[in-house]
Amino acid sequence: MSTSGLNMSRRIRRTPYTDRVEAHGVSGFSVVNHTLLPKAFRHSVEDDYWHLRAHVQIWDVGCQRQVEIRGSDAARLVQWMTPRDIGRARIGQCLYVPLTDADGGLINDPVLLKHAEDHFWLSIADSDVLLWAKGLAIGAGLNVSVSEPDVWPLAVQGPKAEDLMATVFGAAIRDVRFFRWGTFPFRGTRQVIARSGYSKQGGFEIYLNDSSLGSELWDTIWQAGQAFSIEPGCPNLIERIEGGLLSYGNEMTRENTPLECGLARYCRLDGGIEFLGREALQRGVRDGVRREIRGLLFDGGRCPPCGKPWPVLAGGDGGRQIGQVTSAIYSPRFRRNVGLSMIDRGFWDPGQPVTILSADGVRRHGEVVALPFPHSVA
Amino acid sequence: MSTSGLNMSRRIRRTPYTDRVEAHGVSGFSVVNHTLLPKAFRHSVEDDYWHLRAHVQIWDVGCQRQVEIRGSDAARLVQWMTPRDIGRARIGQCLYVPLTDADGGLINDPVLLKHAEDHFWLSIADSDVLLWAKGLAIGAGLNVSVSEPDVWPLAVQGPKAEDLMATVFGAAIRDVRFFRWGTFPFRGTRQVIARSGYSKQGGFEIYLNDSSLGSELWDTIWQAGQAFSIEPGCPNLIERIEGGLLSYGNEMTRENTPLECGLARYCRLDGGIEFLGREALQRGVRDGVRREIRGLLFDGGRCPPCGKPWPVLAGGDGGRQIGQVTSAIYSPRFRRNVGLSMIDRGFWDPGQPVTILSADGVRRHGEVVALPFPHSVA
């Protein structure tokens, strides 16, 4: 129970898949939403990276908790929380919805699933959106219930995911388009399954709505996956950074707006909708933001884990600080380190030379690149 | 950086003391409020337990984040969040304030520090009280600012804590009574220091208000502590359970009311104050609660870590389920396992025989005891 060095207690919740994850020899966990997220199995991050790009993996992402909002004011509350126009959301659609506070700062960046006009799920990143939504609703006297249902996402990711899922849930799963969902039968129940996930390799997320079926769902996919070289996995830091997938708490915090994080396309700022932080975001568009998210490619040998932001200095000789690295790792494909960073205006053009001060004391030379990273780097 | 098996990233925040904690050879972390909490050093939990009871320890409890509430509606917002009457709170006092939602469910159980009539800190356990307070304030249109200041508690705990603190901060620290605070000089700054902490061995918490002074504060206490056999430490599970100290997320969640958790004395239910969940708690008093927190003493050899609640069955032969264990560990002093549990009405009297089904499959016999545990057990 404590193989990972992370001390176990009820406070850090297990998922319906944790028993299976332990049986597969998980060697490290992280904690997201007070819930265990596996972070490593037997293989190195690089081996897992190559496997994810070639085969299929099963990921316990039960930590992506659902915040369920129901009631006659449900749509009003959801719209109040996000700059994205949810008026046109259709049932069966997944919507990426940045959540903002009154200053336009990011509270979370969930995926919204609309079940009915008065019934939504927010599938959340790492902050207590349940408390945020409940607080707003109680304060404003809205007619909604806000709760955390017994729903635990399980991801199947990788290029062979569709073939594997078709053997388990039938060929109809192939018709589910990207960021759409349908319901599929499993052991006499019906389960929401979306074509989505925290990788760029394709795949699905099963929103299992009955924790007692967790082991059975895992085992079913695992057995069927043998023909597809399935391995247990987890969000892969190399693949995530190369794909430009942002992580709440890493690339963005309440200190950042969606505009800084490259999420302007999810913000309707023409006045057609009302939401928290609209004035701040309109001001940001009018005045321009002073920093924006960018990729970095840099040298100096394999970089250490980025446990706290690293300073980014202007130029190859290291001038004044112009930003910070928020996630970084060595890419075996690019044979350079890749990073995500927040870079000041005037320095964010691709090709900008930079010096990075990593935590190991090494001064590393590199340059700014656009996101997502190019498929290949010269 | 990843010695603990817990993968490091910016999302799980370091404290101003993490560098020192790592230098002392920390071997495990937990995560509280998106922040690292050391959980083990070189010694076993039992060795740390005996040391804490005899000497003095320095604890990085920076994860006890502060939620600062300021403004003309600050007192109104704080009172709205808690059943405790804060009208009589004095500056210089620490108040333990359970926070409840509209159903009387526990949102958190912070310590309140009042700095002025319009200025409060909530020193929180593990949930995003900042989002809860901000949501309520925005929803209700209250005139407050809610923020997380640059304040990072460092605890000095153990019977020699007062002597050690007096050598660092002067003899006046001895005059600070239990659950009171004063301000004391440190390197040209003034720091809030309270006689408080998450143990029953006595001690202080320094609310360092400048993260850049973290290492210097640690080193100063560490040097002065050499004469008192100081060791790095952390909240000790044996000592915490024996002392009946509750842990949010373990003993209590949103599913529990303060009444169930033995916190009725912190709830003013006569109608003299208004707060969220008052009707639910008044109903709970009128009708009686159906379960309440209790201690357990039980056998069967050293129990495993309690990573998820264990069923408690009635009687030594194991009848129907009458509750669950939420925290448990072997006590070397009592030479039995000690646990905290939620027990159904009709079965919660001290001496009630029970059977506990721990995660290792062992059926363990024991009995209900009142909290806190007696100083000695026959």
Side-chain angles (χ1 to χ4, degrees):
Chain A
M1 298 269 281
S2 59
T3 49
S4 68
L6 177 69
N7 283 54
M8 295 300 171
S9 72
R10 179 197 187 193
R11 181 176 60 79
I12 297 178
R13 298 177 287 185
R14 298 168 67 87
T15 81
Y17 318 114
T18 306
D19 285 348
R20 289 299 183 267
V21 159
E22 289 176 337
H24 279 291
V26 64
S27 59
F29 283 110
S30 189
V31 178
V32 174
N33 290 320
H34 318 280
T35 308
L36 292 170
L37 170 67
K39 289 302 285 183
F41 288 88
R42 288 154 300 190
H43 307 300
S44 70
V45 176
E46 290 187 16
D47 287 344
D48 282 338
Y49 167 81
W50 294 116
H51 180 270
L52 173 62
R53 290 173 58 91
H55 303 290
V56 61
Q57 296 184 352
I58 182 169
W59 295 0
D60 173 4
V61 289
C63 63
Q64 295 171 194
R65 307 302 304 132
Q66 307 305 301
V67 176
E68 181 167 83
I69 302 179
R70 302 189 78 151
S72 59
D73 286 329
R76 188 174 152 205
L77 175 58
V78 172
Q79 184 61 82
W80 196 24
M81 292 195 292
T82 178
R84 185 149 189 193
D85 186 351
I86 68 146
R88 289 158 186 255
R90 282 171 294 170
I91 295 163
Q93 197 176 12
C94 304
L95 281 185
Y96 179 73
V97 290
L99 306 186
T100 46
D101 66 16
D103 303 317
L106 282 157
I107 294 289
N108 203 291
D109 68 330
V111 172
L112 176 72
L113 280 72
K114 178 177 174 174
H115 293 281
E117 295 303 322
D118 60 354
H119 183 194
F120 300 85
W121 285 352
L122 292 167
S123 185
I124 64 172
D126 187 28
S127 70
D128 292 341
V129 172
L130 183 122
L131 298 185
W132 175 240
K134 268 176 88 94
L136 290 169
I138 290 171
L142 298 182
N143 182 26
V144 292
S145 74
V146 180
S147 63
E148 185 182 282
D150 181 31
V151 172
W152 303 85
L154 181 70
V156 178
Q157 299 284 299
K160 298 180 182 173
E162 184 179 302
D163 289 343
L164 166 54
M165 290 291 282
T167 69
V168 175
F169 295 99
I173 202 96
R174 299 186 190 276
D175 300 329
V176 176
R177 286 178 296 150
F178 181 68
F179 253 51
R180 296 290 191 280
W181 58 268
T183 64
F184 293 82
F186 181 74
R187 302 286 184 272
T189 67
R190 288 201 75 83
Q191 301 296 336
V192 167
I193 302 181
R195 192 185 286 266
S196 59
Y198 202 50
S199 86
K200 291 281 194 182
Q201 305 309 313
F204 296 84
E205 289 176 302
I206 305 158
Y207 287 76
L208 180 68
N209 64 15
D210 180 347
S211 51
S212 71
L213 291 173
S215 292
E216 201 168 347
L217 176 62
W218 180 287
D219 292 344
T220 302
I221 291 168
W222 182 255
Q223 290 304 326
Q226 295 310 303
F228 303 95
S229 305
I230 194 170
E231 288 282 353
C234 53
N236 184 283
L237 187 56
I238 308 169
E239 201 272 345
R240 173 175 90 72
I241 294 177
E242 286 182 4
L245 290 171
L246 309 186
S247 162
Y248 186 76
N250 286 310
E251 279 62 69
M252 48 189 163
T253 72
R254 280 181 296 107
E255 304 302 312
N256 301 114
T257 70
L259 306 177
E260 293 175 351
C261 298
L263 307 176
R265 66 187 179 283
Y266 302 116
C267 301
R268 181 171 176 189
L269 299 175
D270 65 0
I273 56 169
E274 270 197 65
F275 61 90
L276 275 171
R278 191 178 71 182
E279 292 69 24
L281 296 188
Q282 287 172 330
R283 206 179 314 122
V285 166
R286 194 179 60 233
D287 300 344
V289 295
R290 55 187 185 84
R291 57 190 181 187
E292 228 175 72
I293 194 151
R294 286 294 182 275
L296 294 176
L297 283 166
F298 58 101
D299 304 312
R302 283 164 191 265
C303 69
C306 186
K308 58 183 169 188
W310 296 337
V312 177
L313 312 182
D317 297 330
R320 72 178 179 84
Q321 185 170 350
I322 55 156
Q324 60 180 16
V325 183
T326 53
S327 296
I329 195 166
Y330 180 76
S331 163
R333 196 157 57 91
F334 296 163
R335 296 176 193 277
R336 299 184 76 185
N337 297 298
V338 291
L340 297 172
S341 60
M342 197 57 76
I343 303 291
D344 289 350
R345 176 156 57 181
F347 299 91
W348 64 39
D349 285 343
Q352 165 74 41
V354 295
T355 300
I356 289 146
L357 306 181
S358 53
D360 54 2
V362 177
R363 294 171 72 88
R364 297 166 182 275
H365 303 298
E367 70 268 0
V368 170
V369 299
L371 288 176
F373 283 84
H375 288 294
S376 62
V377 171
Chain B
M1 299 272 280
S2 57
T3 49
S4 67
L6 177 69
N7 283 53
M8 295 300 171
S9 72
R10 179 197 187 194
R11 180 176 59 79
I12 297 178
R13 299 178 288 185
R14 297 168 68 86
T15 81
Y17 318 112
T18 306
D19 286 348
R20 289 298 183 268
V21 159
E22 289 176 336
H24 278 291
V26 64
S27 59
F29 283 110
S30 188
V31 177
V32 174
N33 290 320
H34 317 280
T35 309
L36 292 170
L37 170 66
K39 287 302 285 183
F41 288 87
R42 287 155 301 191
H43 307 300
S44 70
V45 176
E46 289 187 17
D47 286 345
D48 282 338
Y49 166 82
W50 294 116
H51 180 270
L52 173 62
R53 291 174 58 92
H55 304 289
V56 61
Q57 295 184 353
I58 182 169
W59 295 0
D60 173 4
V61 288
C63 65
Q64 295 171 193
R65 308 302 304 134
Q66 308 305 300
V67 176
E68 181 167 84
I69 301 179
R70 302 189 77 150
S72 60
D73 286 329
R76 187 173 152 206
L77 175 57
V78 172
Q79 184 61 82
W80 196 23
M81 292 195 292
T82 178
R84 186 148 188 194
D85 186 352
I86 69 148
R88 290 160 184 253
R90 284 170 294 171
I91 296 163
Q93 197 176 11
C94 304
L95 281 184
Y96 179 73
V97 289
L99 305 185
T100 45
D101 66 15
D103 303 317
L106 282 157
I107 294 289
N108 203 291
D109 67 330
V111 172
L112 176 72
L113 279 72
K114 178 176 174 176
H115 293 280
E117 295 303 321
D118 60 354
H119 183 195
F120 300 86
W121 284 351
L122 291 167
S123 186
I124 64 172
D126 186 28
S127 70
D128 291 341
V129 172
L130 184 123
L131 298 185
W132 174 241
K134 268 175 88 95
L136 289 169
I138 290 170
L142 298 183
N143 182 27
V144 292
S145 74
V146 180
S147 64
E148 185 183 280
D150 181 30
V151 172
W152 303 85
L154 182 69
V156 178
Q157 299 285 299
K160 298 179 181 172
E162 184 179 302
D163 289 344
L164 166 54
M165 290 291 282
T167 70
V168 175
F169 295 100
I173 202 95
R174 300 186 188 276
D175 299 330
V176 176
R177 286 177 296 151
F178 180 68
F179 253 49
R180 295 291 190 280
W181 58 268
T183 64
F184 292 83
F186 181 74
R187 301 288 184 270
T189 67
R190 290 200 73 83
Q191 302 296 335
V192 167
I193 303 182
R195 192 185 288 264
S196 59
Y198 202 50
S199 85
K200 291 282 193 181
Q201 305 309 313
F204 297 84
E205 289 176 301
I206 305 159
Y207 287 77
L208 181 68
N209 64 14
D210 180 347
S211 51
S212 71
L213 291 174
S215 293
E216 202 168 346
L217 177 61
W218 179 288
D219 293 344
T220 302
I221 292 168
W222 181 256
Q223 290 304 325
Q226 295 309 304
F228 302 96
S229 305
I230 193 170
E231 288 283 352
C234 52
N236 184 284
L237 186 57
I238 308 168
E239 201 272 345
R240 173 176 89 71
I241 294 177
E242 287 183 3
L245 291 171
L246 309 188
S247 162
Y248 186 76
N250 285 311
E251 278 61 68
M252 48 187 161
T253 72
R254 280 183 297 106
E255 303 302 312
N256 301 115
T257 69
L259 306 178
E260 293 174 351
C261 298
L263 306 176
R265 65 188 179 282
Y266 302 116
C267 302
R268 182 172 176 189
L269 299 175
D270 64 1
I273 57 170
E274 271 197 65
F275 62 89
L276 276 170
R278 192 179 70 182
E279 292 70 23
L281 296 188
Q282 288 173 328
R283 205 179 315 122
V285 166
R286 195 179 58 232
D287 301 344
V289 296
R290 55 188 186 82
R291 57 191 179 186
E292 229 175 72
I293 194 150
R294 287 294 182 272
L296 294 177
L297 283 166
F298 59 101
D299 305 310
R302 284 164 191 265
C303 68
C306 185
K308 59 183 170 188
W310 296 337
V312 177
L313 312 182
D317 298 329
R320 71 178 180 83
Q321 184 170 351
I322 55 155
Q324 60 180 18
V325 183
T326 53
S327 296
I329 196 166
Y330 179 76
S331 163
R333 196 158 56 91
F334 295 162
R335 296 175 194 275
R336 298 184 76 183
N337 296 298
V338 291
L340 297 172
S341 60
M342 197 58 76
I343 303 291
D344 290 350
R345 177 158 54 183
F347 298 91
W348 64 38
D349 285 342
Q352 165 75 40
V354 294
T355 300
I356 290 149
L357 306 182
S358 53
D360 55 1
V362 177
R363 293 172 73 90
R364 296 166 183 276
H365 303 296
E367 70 268 0
V368 170
V369 298
L371 288 175
F373 284 83
H375 288 292
S376 62
V377 172

